[in-house]
């Protein structure tokens, strides 16, 4: 019972903190749309070309936005000492970490889900493909949050960790990128995509069950320094 | 009211201490005795393997002599995966049983694995030039190997970024375990991506009909590489061990022995 | 015997900070850890809390290594480190609620009276922060923040307090308040381990000193 209480209190706390910094919520969103904007500018406005590369662009931009947003996941908690208190609390750390990642996902990725259809339309994707894109983002972005959290937990005690975090986390993002963008691609060609979606769902299950343990172990390591 | 820190240690404690101390010293002595034998084995395997591969094996009917690079490429590629496995297993041992030696093996693995991966990539690309007419194709094996290189570089980067080396090895152990769970997934997804985008590509080993005269030198070379890995792992671990145990008595004794 | 330390060893780089460290702590006792900067006081506290692994030796709680107790051991103590462990973006009361939720129910040390089981607002009052419950610690002075951080001692009924420089940034009244909290805790049979640059105004045979001299 008290675990559930601690879980929801922590979830609420992180929401509240995010809400009190609501201007920062828009940063990943801005980044996401800016990155997608750069591609037409760099490649040229040819609609057929843009339509072909749209799935890849959407997912690469989502990946980078997730990476950028993840950096803040444990940073302030580490600096103000609440992370130390969390690690030393009798509550099960993997569960507490799940609450934090969940709050982070709701705050940083859900707005992305809302914006993605608009960007997809600008790339000329049809309604079916956009629907699939949303589904892949819905299944894939939590994986990004959980996997990214492992990298953040490992590097939170370091002063400048940006590049290192990218090096640690981006290779692990590869499967999500492949399955996610391919599903949109396949949907745009009018073919069934259930296979890719199942694979993404499997990745999600794996991430939700295994990542919290790794995150907790990494946080214990980081806090002990 | 006043209590000082130096309490006399009883014999049980001493035993505990000795037990812990014994394992690095034991490792250092045993590995020192083992190394010359490994060098000899390596030399034999390397010479016979190279002779078989470069001299006695017939030229490939399609690729001519350029196929002979597989005697470096394939063992390196095999080892690049194998070293990661060793790294992850010692990471698990280090995390679960807190064995310091496993930590040192773990951190010694990363640069070796990265080097093998790099060799596999370079030789693969050198081989690709005559085969495909280009230095790089996005073939599944090469792409997986490239991602593996980044995984290794991540491990090395993380280890060097954390100052406290015991903490750093724990961090690296966690990362290696996360990596070993992910490698099959990455490998599978890349393979899947490759077949979707390129149709049936010519993979290097889709036909297992390799001639026996080509296979034997390949296996010899694979053995030579594996022994070489063992040698460099032992050397690196011994170095790491000396560095970490520098203040301990046995290291000082060792230095004195070598001086005198 | 509550807490027992056997043969504890700590190295930083190639330098041994302390070795063969041994002491025991009984119920009702206070252990003052002393030593100059860099002598490993904070590191020792981290080892006692199980935050940091000892390079050698063991920390025993109730005759069992703390690693074997796991989460149960973390229920037995409150930790206050260098940083306050409070969030600037939560009001003082919200911070206290968070501490309570994370602390869960403390085992084995029931509240003695209503005074030690007080609600969060009375805690604020006791800490001299009355009327600040809905303000953000961001606007607090360093001393007020420390007072808020020390509130976790009143919220918890844990037997052991592990405190790193608890009086840092406190004014004279704050230090006095902390000392009365501490002696109350000791009288109730609780124990505490703390580092301090300030002279502690408590006297008695239940106070031990441990000098770390690296």
């Amino acid at each position: 019972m008290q675990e559930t209480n601690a879980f929801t209190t922590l979830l609420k706390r992180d929401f509240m903190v995010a809400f009190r910094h609501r201007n920062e919520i828009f940063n990943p969103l801005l980044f996401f749309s800016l990155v997608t904007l750069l591609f037409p500018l760099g490649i040229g406005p040819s609609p057929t070309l843009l339509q072909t590369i749209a799935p890849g662009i959407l997912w690469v931009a989502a990946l980078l936005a997730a990476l950028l947003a993840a950096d803040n996941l444990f940073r302030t908690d580490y600096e103000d000492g609440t992370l130390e208190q969390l690690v030393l609390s009798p509550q099960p750390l993997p569960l507490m970490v799940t609450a934090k990642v969940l709050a982070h996902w709701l705050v940083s990725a859900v707005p992305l889900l809302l914006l993605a259809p608009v960007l997809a339309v600008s790339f000329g994707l049809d309604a079916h493909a956009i629907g699939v894109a949303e589904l892949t983002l819905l299944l894939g972005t939590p994986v990004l949050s959980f996997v990214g959290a492992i990298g953040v937990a490992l590097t939170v005690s370091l002063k400048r960790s940006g590049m290192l975090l990218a090096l640690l986390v981006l290779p692990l993002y590869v499967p999500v990128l492949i399955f996610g963008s391919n599903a949109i691609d396949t949907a745009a060609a009018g073919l069934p995509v259930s296979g890719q979606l199942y694979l993404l769902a499997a990745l999600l299950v794996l991430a939700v069950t295994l990542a919290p343990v790794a995150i907790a172990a990494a946080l214990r390591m980081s806090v002990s320094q | 009211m006043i209590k000082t820190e130096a309490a006399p240690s009883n014999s049980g404690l001493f035993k505990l201490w000795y037990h812990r101390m014994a394992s690095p010293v034991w490792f250092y002595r045993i590995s020192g005795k083992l190394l010359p034998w490994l060098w000899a084995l390596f030399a034999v395997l390397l010479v016979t393997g190279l002779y078989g591969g470069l001299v006695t094996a017939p030229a490939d009917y399609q690729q001519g002599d350029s196929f002979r690079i597989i005697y470096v490429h394939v063992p390196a590629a095999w080892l690049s995966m194998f070293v990661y496995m060793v790294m992850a297993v010692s990471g698990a041992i280090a995390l679960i049983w807190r064995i310091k030696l496993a930590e040192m093996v773990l951190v010694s693995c990363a640069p070796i694995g990265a080097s093998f991966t790099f060799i596999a990539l370079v030789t693969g690309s050198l081989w690709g030039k005559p085969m495909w007419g280009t230095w790089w194709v996005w073939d599944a094996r090469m792409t997986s190997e490239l991602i593996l290189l980044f995984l290794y570089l991540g491990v090395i980067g993380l280890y060097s970024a954390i100052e406290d080396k015991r903490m750093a090895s724990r961090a690296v152990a966690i990362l290696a375990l996360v990596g070993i769970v992910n490698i099959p997934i990455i490998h599978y997804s890349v393979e899947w991506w490759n077949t979707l985008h390129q149709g049936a590509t010519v993979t290097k080993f889709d036909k297992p009909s390799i001639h026996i005269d080509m296979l034997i030198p390949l296996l010899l070379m694979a053995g030579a590489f594996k022994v070489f890995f063992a040698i460099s792992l032992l050397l690196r671990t011994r170095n790491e061990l000396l560095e970490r145990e520098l203040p301990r008595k046995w290291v000082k004794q060792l230095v004195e022995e070598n001086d005198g | 015997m509550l807490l027992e330390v056997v043969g504890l060893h700590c190295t930083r780089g190639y330098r041994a900070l302390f070795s063969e460290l041994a002491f025991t702590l009984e119920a009702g006792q206070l252990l003052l850890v002393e030593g100059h900067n860099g002598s490993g006081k904070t590191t020792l506290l981290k080892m006692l809390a199980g935050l940091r692994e000892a390079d050698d030796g063991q920390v025993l709680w109730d005759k069992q290594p703390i690693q074997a107790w796991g989460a149960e051991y973390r229920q037995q103590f409150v930790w206050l480190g260098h940083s306050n462990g409070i969030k600037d973006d939560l009001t003082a009361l919200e911070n206290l609620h968070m501490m309570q939720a994370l602390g869960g129910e403390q085992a084995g040390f029931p509240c003695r009276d209503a005074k030690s089981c007080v609600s969060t607002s009375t805690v604020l009052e006791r800490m001299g922060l009355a009327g600040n419950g809905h303000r953000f610690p961001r606007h607090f002075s360093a001393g007020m923040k420390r007072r808020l951080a020390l509130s976790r001692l009143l919220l918890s009924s844990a037997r052991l307090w592990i405190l790193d420089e608890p009086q840092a940034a406190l004014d004279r009244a704050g230090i006095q308040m902390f000392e009365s909290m501490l002696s109350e805790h000791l009288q109730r049979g609780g124990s505490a381990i703390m580092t301090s640059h300030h002279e502690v105004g408590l006297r008695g045979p239940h106070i031990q000193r441990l000098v770390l001299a690296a």
Side-chain angles (χ1 to χ4, degrees):
Chain A
M1 238 25 249
Q2 52 154 300
E3 285 94 353
T4 342
N5 179 38
F7 183 89
T8 48
T9 316
L10 191 58
L11 192 68
K12 269 192 235 158
R13 183 200 84 167
D14 274 18
F15 260 134
M16 209 125 69
V17 171
F19 182 72
R20 284 172 187 165
H21 286 274
R22 44 192 168 279
N23 47 338
E24 283 173 22
I25 296 177
F26 295 104
N27 290 347
L29 216 56
L30 282 174
F31 181 81
F32 182 58
S33 30
L34 266 173
V35 169
T36 42
L37 169 78
L38 291 178
F39 281 90
L41 291 177
I43 293 168
S46 148
T48 44
L49 181 60
L50 285 180
Q51 216 174 332
T52 349
I53 59 170
I57 294 173
L58 276 182
W59 262 103
V60 169
L63 235 66
L64 295 176
L67 183 71
L68 195 76
D71 193 48
N72 203 29
L73 189 49
F74 300 115
R75 174 85 47 207
T76 48
D77 282 9
Y78 178 77
E79 280 160 5
D80 63 24
T82 45
L83 190 63
E84 201 175 56
Q85 293 291 349
L86 191 69
V87 167
L88 285 176
S89 86
Q91 310 299 337
L93 191 55
L95 189 71
M96 298 299 106
V97 158
T98 309
K100 280 198 69 70
V101 177
L102 186 61
H104 172 78
W105 177 75
L106 288 168
V107 170
S108 70
V110 170
L112 223 85
L113 278 166
L114 300 177
L115 184 70
V118 182
L119 295 172
V121 166
S122 75
F123 280 97
L125 286 180
D126 60 29
H128 176 59
I130 293 175
V132 171
E134 283 293 282
L135 265 176
T136 59
L137 284 172
L138 185 67
L139 290 169
T141 47
V143 182
L144 301 186
S145 296
F146 273 100
V147 172
I150 303 175
V152 178
L154 285 170
T155 54
V156 70
S157 62
L158 305 174
K159 291 222 167 51
R160 273 167 298 163
S161 57
M163 276 313 291
L164 183 59
L165 181 64
L167 180 61
L168 297 187
V169 165
L170 285 180
L172 304 177
Y173 280 176
V174 166
V176 180
L177 170 69
I178 289 178
F179 295 134
S181 55
N182 184 263
I184 308 175
D185 220 18
T186 316
L191 297 168
V193 290
S194 50
Q196 286 92 323
L197 293 180
Y198 283 134
L199 284 168
L200 277 176
L203 287 183
L204 177 58
V205 171
L206 202 67
V208 171
T209 44
L210 292 184
V213 183
I215 301 167
L219 284 182
R220 285 194 192 288
M221 183 280 304
S222 283
V223 164
S224 69
Q225 288 180 66
Chain B
M1 180 157 163
I2 291 169
K3 236 181 162 182
T4 48
E5 58 266 50
S9 60
N10 55 39
S11 67
L13 259 173
F14 178 75
K15 265 181 202 157
L16 187 79
W17 170 83
Y18 184 77
H19 180 72
R20 286 204 186 159
M21 287 310 303
S23 96
V25 184
W26 177 82
F27 170 80
Y28 194 86
R29 301 266 181 231
I30 291 292
S31 60
K33 283 189 186 126
L34 209 59
L35 272 169
W37 295 98
L38 285 175
W39 276 115
L41 183 61
F42 171 63
V44 170
L45 284 172
L46 186 74
V47 169
T48 52
L50 277 181
Y51 184 77
L54 300 184
V55 182
T56 52
D60 188 82
Y61 75 102
Q62 270 181 327
Q63 302 174 31
D65 277 331
S66 67
F67 94 97
R68 293 186 198 274
I69 201 165
I70 64 164
Y71 294 114
V72 180
H73 174 75
V74 175
W78 282 347
L79 264 179
S80 65
M81 288 301 299
F82 178 75
V83 175
Y84 206 98
M85 284 274 292
V86 174
M87 193 165 82
V89 169
S90 40
I93 294 173
L95 279 182
I96 298 167
W97 289 290
R98 317 262 156 173
I99 296 175
K100 288 181 190 172
L101 200 58
E103 281 176 13
M104 295 175 216
V105 170
L106 160 78
V107 298
S108 308
C109 273
I112 308 173
S115 314
F116 280 128
T117 316
F118 185 70
I119 292 171
L121 277 170
V122 170
T123 52
S125 145
L126 285 175
W127 189 17
K129 185 65 182 164
M131 252 182 88
W132 297 309
T134 166
W135 295 110
W136 179 264
V137 285
W138 290 94
D139 121 290
R141 274 164 205 282
M142 292 294 270
T143 312
S144 290
E145 201 74 7
L146 187 62
I147 296 171
L148 185 65
L149 180 65
F150 281 117
L151 287 177
Y152 274 121
L153 293 180
V155 169
I156 296 170
L158 185 63
Y159 185 68
S160 56
I162 301 177
E163 223 153 279
D164 185 325
K165 286 309 159 203
R166 285 218 68 193
M167 293 305 129
S169 19
R170 282 187 68 188
V172 164
I174 297 168
L175 186 63
L177 285 177
V178 171
I180 204 76
V181 173
N182 270 279
I183 282 177
I185 303 173
I186 294 173
H187 195 77
Y188 169 74
S189 67
V190 168
E191 206 128 276
W192 186 81
W193 158 84
N194 195 251
T195 51
L196 276 180
H197 284 273
Q198 300 199 333
T201 45
V202 190
T203 48
K204 289 163 200 164
F205 286 99
D206 50 356
K207 283 166 266 161
S209 59
I210 182 166
H211 193 275
I212 190 79
D213 287 344
M214 293 178 179
L215 184 64
I216 288 172
L218 183 62
L219 293 179
L220 285 172
M221 283 304 283
F225 269 61
K226 214 153 248 180
V227 175
F228 180 71
F229 163 60
I231 293 170
S232 41
L233 182 63
L234 284 183
L235 286 176
R236 279 193 159 269
T237 310
R238 279 160 66 90
N239 263 350
E240 186 77 29
L241 183 68
L242 286 184
E243 210 173 312
R244 287 198 193 189
E245 304 264 301
L246 204 57
R248 308 272 184 171
K249 217 172 171 179
W250 70 271
V251 180
K252 282 180 191 143
Q253 274 172 355
L254 197 78
V255 173
E256 278 159 19
E257 273 170 36
N258 285 2
D259 277 353
Chain C
M1 193 180 307
L2 214 54
L3 193 76
E4 188 182 2
V5 166
V6 192
L8 210 60
H9 184 87
C10 171
T11 45
R12 264 285 164 75
Y14 295 134
R15 208 164 59 101
L17 283 183
F18 48 80
S19 53
E20 291 297 317
L21 190 71
F23 61 84
T24 58
L25 188 73
E26 312 278 346
Q29 280 188 334
L30 168 69
L31 178 72
L32 291 171
V33 182
E34 291 170 356
H36 56 81
N37 291 337
S39 58
K41 299 190 296 277
T42 301
T43 311
L44 173 63
L45 291 196
K46 284 190 168 184
M47 284 180 180
L48 296 180
L51 260 183
R52 196 191 159 94
E53 219 176 300
D55 293 318
D56 221 331
Q58 277 188 320
V59 181
L60 306 167
W61 172 264
D62 208 4
K63 299 182 185 68
Q64 291 279 328
I66 54 171
Q67 287 82 7
W69 287 100
E72 243 178 291
Y73 176 59
R74 292 197 289 278
Q75 233 162 36
Q76 308 292 342
F77 69 87
V78 204
W79 162 270
L80 182 63
H82 263 292
S83 43
N84 287 320
I86 52 177
K87 285 221 90 68
D88 275 348
D89 297 312
L90 298 178
T91 65
L93 276 174
E94 284 164 354
N95 265 303
L96 294 190
H97 287 142
M98 196 61 224
M99 291 172 194
Q100 271 186 323
L102 278 187
E105 281 174 15
Q106 310 286 347
F109 191 56
C111 307
R112 192 196 46 152
D113 53 11
K115 212 163 145 197
S116 49
C117 288
V118 276
S119 68
T120 43
S121 53
T122 26
V123 166
L124 280 186
E125 215 167 288
R126 171 103 201 263
M127 298 307 295
L129 291 171
N132 287 304
H134 295 287
R135 289 181 64 207
F136 289 101
R138 195 175 334 133
H139 306 303
F140 284 8
S141 71
M144 286 167 80
K145 281 187 188 175
R146 200 59 178 169
R147 283 172 185 236
L148 184 60
L150 283 167
S151 319
R152 72 174 75 244
L153 301 177
L154 293 179
L155 287 174
S156 148
S157 50
R159 280 202 263 183
L160 176 63
W161 291 359
I162 304 179
L163 313 170
D164 199 359
E165 302 282 344
Q167 309 104 316
L170 288 182
D171 55 11
R172 196 184 295 268
I175 290 175
Q176 240 166 26
M177 183 192 64
F178 166 71
E179 280 173 2
S180 77
M181 276 163 60
L182 183 61
S183 65
E184 218 174 274
H185 174 70
L186 296 174
Q187 268 164 25
R188 264 185 295 158
S191 16
I193 300 171
M194 60 181 268
T195 64
S196 171
H197 283 306
H198 297 261
E199 193 48 45
V200 177
L202 305 181
R203 292 285 174 272
H206 59 294
I207 296 174
Q208 299 186 68
R209 275 166 209 277
L210 176 74
V211 184
L212 295 179

